[in-house]
Amino acid sequence: MNIIVTNSPEQAFHRAADMIAAEIRASSRPVLGLATGRTMENIYRLLVQQYDAGALDFSGMTSFNLDEYVGLGPTDTNSYRHYMQEHLFAHVNMPLSGIHVPDGTAPDLDAECASYEVAIRASNGIDLQLLGIGETGHIGFNEPPSAFDSQTRVVELDDITRRQNSSMFGNDPERVPSRALTMGVGTILEARHLLLVAVGGGKAAIINEALNGPISENVSATAIRLHDNVTVILDEAAASIYNQAIK
Ligand code: F6R
């Protein structure tokens, strides 16, 4: 595992964006796994800057987002499909046909999850999967416990996660949908390269648990240690407890 610790959050975002940009340039048909959340907004901002500067071409790209809230459609400003449009898709030359986000309004959610897995395989799998980490140790919305061989499925969101994500819902955790569709831990582990990014002291404890704690289905992020091609990018604050523990 390649662990990079930067002096500031902005440096962490730059390192991550540069790694994603390199992946996009490396192939005429790159397949990227994308994430949402506050951390990723910064990375997408830098990718859009590179695109505006003429340094990146998204025309051959296919993307698969990790997750979506159940019940929220693309026009709902709190949906992850909308988030992606706002932060990335609307600003770059990515073809609509290449964009995949699980449909939280599908009439048959289990069928939607199954067809998402089929679509990932049909695209020849994900080259680079971008990951954040939640307070519960989730990657995607794989709340504890999540089997390491789990596939895309409907999950109940942890109360901690609903609180974590409540800022988009008037700071009211009760308004955060209680269910989501998420790629499974097993789906994530099938990607050829995993890139986990975390910044800030609020992530320090869970980063230490993910990187140093027992590998356990009770902390989904520990699963990344079972993968042989992983990059973790942290700022000093997110790395602080982990760094002390390994000294
Ligand atoms: C969202 C996702 C989540 C977030 C995680 C961190 O698509 O997959 O696992 O990456 O909750 O979110 P932020 O960056 O808002 O702290």
Side-chain angles (χ1 to χ4, degrees):
M1 184 179 300
N2 181 20
I3 300 175
I4 297 166
V5 180
T6 64
N7 292 329
S8 69
E10 195 60 17
Q11 283 175 23
F13 303 141
H14 273 277
R15 291 294 289 266
D18 288 348
M19 200 165 279
I20 296 164
E23 190 74 41
I24 294 172
R25 281 190 209 104
S27 161
S28 57
R29 303 202 60 78
V31 182
L32 263 74
L34 301 177
T36 58
R38 280 149 296 187
T39 313
M40 302 306 154
E41 288 178 21
N42 298 286
I43 297 171
Y44 298 139
R45 165 175 54 84
L46 295 172
L47 288 173
V48 171
Q49 272 176 25
Q50 293 203 26
Y51 172 76
D52 287 342
L56 263 187
D57 175 13
F58 290 78
S59 62
M61 183 164 134
T62 299
S63 70
F64 289 91
N65 265 81
L66 282 165
D67 40 23
E68 178 61 283
Y69 291 114
V70 167
L72 304 196
T75 54
D76 191 309
T77 51
N78 287 324
S79 73
Y80 284 164
R81 179 63 184 82
H82 187 274
Y83 168 109
M84 289 308 302
Q85 196 66 23
E86 185 115 305
H87 292 287
L88 184 67
F89 299 151
H91 309 288
V92 299
N93 63 337
M94 181 141 176
L96 192 60
S97 59
I99 294 172
H100 302 83
V101 180
D103 180 359
T105 61
D108 182 340
L109 293 174
D110 291 336
E112 169 66 13
C113 292
S115 69
Y116 206 66
E117 288 286 331
V118 170
I120 293 173
R121 290 205 178 94
S123 75
N124 196 29
I126 292 170
D127 296 312
L128 176 70
Q129 177 66 56
L130 187 55
L131 298 169
I133 184 169
E135 287 173 42
T136 62
H138 70 213
I139 47 176
F141 269 145
N142 289 286
E143 302 289 22
S146 284
F148 283 175
D149 62 358
S150 53
Q151 302 283 293
T152 304
R153 67 201 189 290
V154 181
V155 292
E156 291 283 332
L157 292 178
D158 201 288
D159 288 345
I160 295 172
T161 297
R162 293 176 77 201
R163 204 194 54 226
Q164 178 198 303
N165 290 3
S166 63
S167 60
M168 294 294 293
F169 295 85
N171 288 318
D172 180 1
E174 288 296 316
R175 284 177 50 205
V176 180
S178 59
R179 293 189 306 154
L181 308 186
T182 183
M183 279 188 204
V185 177
T187 320
I188 291 168
L189 292 178
E190 280 164 29
R192 288 180 274 281
H193 182 187
L194 304 181
L195 170 58
L196 187 143
V197 186
V199 298
K203 297 281 168 80
I206 194 64
I207 281 292
N208 181 48
E209 231 178 298
L211 301 181
N212 278 328
I215 295 179
S216 158
E217 294 184 344
N218 289 324
V219 183
S220 297
T222 60
I224 67 171
R225 283 150 61 195
L226 302 174
H227 196 288
D228 61 7
N229 188 12
V230 181
T231 305
V232 177
I233 301 180
L234 308 170
D235 72 338
E236 269 174 5
S240 55
I241 300 178
Y242 160 75
N243 268 343
Q244 276 166 19
I246 56 166
K247 270 178 193 148

